[in-house]
């Protein structure tokens, strides 16, 4: 959808009010002396947007995907990041946006108050994976809380089998044993054939000697990236591991990825 004369208040404000999102891009025409520059807003709608707005949408074949190696950060989108309720800093968010093509696919381990922001960060597919463990802010209740606010998100519950304790750390980081048991049997099959341009590992719970720790989300990320790179000529995937100051996130990432960030 292209809305012309977007520099005017009605076109700008009412579009945002009705569409409920920032435009994908704003195109400007050079201003003449004494005349304000004309703006044209470009909005992109996906099927999940229809669920939120109640619009009647018909979708034919998917538009061709342009492989972009660079991305210009959408300043307006960055300014909408919910800093008061999220745990990432704007510099971290901006780095992720720089790596994410405007039509790239984004996989996020974890749901949060910033999920709607990430869902609008690209016109590509955005998927969230959340722990199914039934404790508040650690799975099912947290899943229900976030999905109650943003029911349009594409999200799935996964079941972790590890524990965030010293024994698990010694076994998986220092033991050198097999990691095959870290495979998530509950990982949705529909996500395996997707090329993920960016993966954010920000779940499950990994602090305070509680929760599963992020062993399986890191391991599954490595498996996905390794598999998709087999046929990905000239493409790359960016993986962001949050809370990297913690031993599991830092040491197990190095152990699995085999490289420094």
């Amino acid at each position: 959808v292209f809305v012309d004369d977007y520099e005017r208040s009605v076109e700008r404000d009412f579009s945002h009010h009705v569409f409920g999102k920032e435009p994908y891009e704003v195109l400007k025409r050079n201003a003449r002396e004494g005349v304000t520059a004309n703006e044209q807003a470009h909005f992109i709608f996906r099927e999940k947007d229809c669920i939120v707005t109640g619009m009647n949408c018909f979708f034919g074949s998917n538009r061709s995907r342009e492989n972009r190696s660079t991305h210009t950060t959408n300043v307006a989108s960055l300014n909408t990041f919910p800093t008061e309720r999220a745990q990432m800093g704007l510099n971290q968010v901006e780095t992720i946006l720089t790596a994410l093509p405007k039509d790239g696919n984004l996989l996020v381990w974890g749901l949060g108050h910033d999920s709607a922001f990430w869902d609008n960060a690209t016109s590509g597919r955005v998927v969230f994976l959340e722990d199914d463990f039934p404790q508040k802010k650690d799975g099912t209740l947290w899943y229900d809380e976030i999905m109650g606010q943003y029911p349009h998100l594409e999200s799935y519950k996964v079941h972790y089998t590890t524990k965030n304790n010293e024994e698990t750390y010694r076994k998986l980081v220092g033991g050198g044993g097999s990691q095959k048991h870290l495979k998530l049997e509950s990982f949705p099959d529909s996500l395996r054939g997707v090329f993920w341009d960016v993966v954010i590992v920000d779940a499950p719970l990994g602090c305070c000697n509680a929760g599963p720790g992020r062993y399986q989300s890191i391991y599954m990320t490595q498996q996905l990236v390794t598999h998709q790179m087999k046929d990905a000529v000239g493409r790359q995937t960016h993986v962001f591991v949050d809370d990297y100051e913690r031993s599991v996130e830092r040491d197990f990432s190095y152990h699995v990825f085999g490289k420094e960030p």
Side-chain angles (χ1 to χ4, degrees):
V1 175
F2 294 88
V3 179
D4 202 23
D5 301 307
Y6 192 69
E7 75 279 2
R8 303 191 305 212
S9 58
V10 171
E11 285 79 352
R12 183 184 63 252
D13 299 341
F14 194 65
S15 291
H16 186 272
H17 179 71
V18 172
F19 296 149
K21 63 192 298 183
E22 295 289 341
Y24 171 73
E25 59 185 341
V26 177
L27 310 170
K28 294 187 178 183
R29 188 173 64 210
N30 292 335
R32 302 190 305 274
E33 184 177 353
V35 180
T36 304
N38 174 262
E39 295 182 353
Q40 185 180 81
H42 177 195
F43 292 88
I44 296 178
F45 294 93
R46 293 157 285 169
E47 188 171 3
K48 56 190 173 184
D49 294 311
C50 300
I51 298 174
V52 180
T53 62
M55 291 188 298
N56 234 344
C57 297
F58 171 79
F59 290 86
S61 59
N62 293 331
R63 68 185 183 90
S64 60
R65 187 187 187 284
E66 178 185 0
N67 182 21
R68 307 184 184 195
S69 59
T70 59
H71 170 91
T72 302
T73 301
N74 187 326
V75 177
S77 294
L78 187 61
N79 289 339
T80 64
F81 186 75
T83 53
E84 294 182 357
R85 298 194 297 171
Q87 296 181 341
M88 283 192 194
L90 288 180
N91 61 325
Q92 296 171 313
V93 175
E94 186 172 14
T95 300
I96 296 174
L97 289 177
T98 301
L100 179 64
K102 288 187 176 181
D103 56 357
N105 297 318
L106 171 64
L107 178 63
V108 184
W109 294 86
L111 280 168
H113 293 296
D114 57 351
S115 294
F117 171 87
W118 292 118
D119 188 57
N120 280 322
T122 171
S123 62
R125 188 175 181 183
V126 183
V127 175
F128 302 88
L129 299 173
E130 181 58 48
D131 191 353
D132 70 346
F133 194 68
Q135 288 187 6
K136 191 174 183 180
K137 292 190 177 180
D138 187 21
T140 300
L141 298 183
W142 181 243
Y143 178 94
D144 293 343
E145 179 177 334
I146 298 300
M147 291 304 297
Q149 297 178 46
Y150 312 109
H152 63 288
L153 300 178
E154 183 180 358
S155 62
Y156 303 92
K157 295 179 183 179
V158 291
H159 181 71
Y160 297 100
T161 58
T162 56
K163 293 183 178 180
N164 186 28
N165 54 34
E166 286 295 327
E167 180 182 357
T168 303
Y169 177 84
R170 287 195 300 268
K171 180 179 179 180
L172 293 177
V173 177
S178 173
Q179 299 172 353
K180 292 183 178 180
H181 67 285
L182 295 177
K183 178 181 178 181
L184 281 175
E185 299 298 334
S186 56
F187 190 87
D189 289 335
S190 63
L191 307 186
R192 297 183 187 276
V194 180
F195 187 94
W196 301 105
D197 296 276
V198 170
V199 180
I200 301 175
V201 181
D202 199 13
L205 182 66
C207 74
C208 319
N209 292 320
R214 295 180 182 170
Y215 297 103
Q216 289 176 286
S217 54
I218 292 172
Y219 172 79
M220 288 298 296
T221 295
Q222 187 272 341
Q223 292 291 299
L224 282 173
V225 172
T226 300
H227 178 74
Q228 70 183 25
M229 283 301 170
K230 291 180 180 179
D231 302 316
V233 179
R235 299 181 69 177
Q236 59 185 356
T237 295
H238 297 262
V239 176
F240 294 89
V241 180
D242 202 26
D243 301 304
Y244 191 70
E245 73 281 1
R246 302 191 307 215
S247 58
V248 171
E249 284 78 353
R250 183 183 64 251
D251 300 341
F252 192 65
S253 290
Y254 180 80
H255 184 68
V256 170
F257 296 139
K259 61 192 296 185
E260 295 286 347

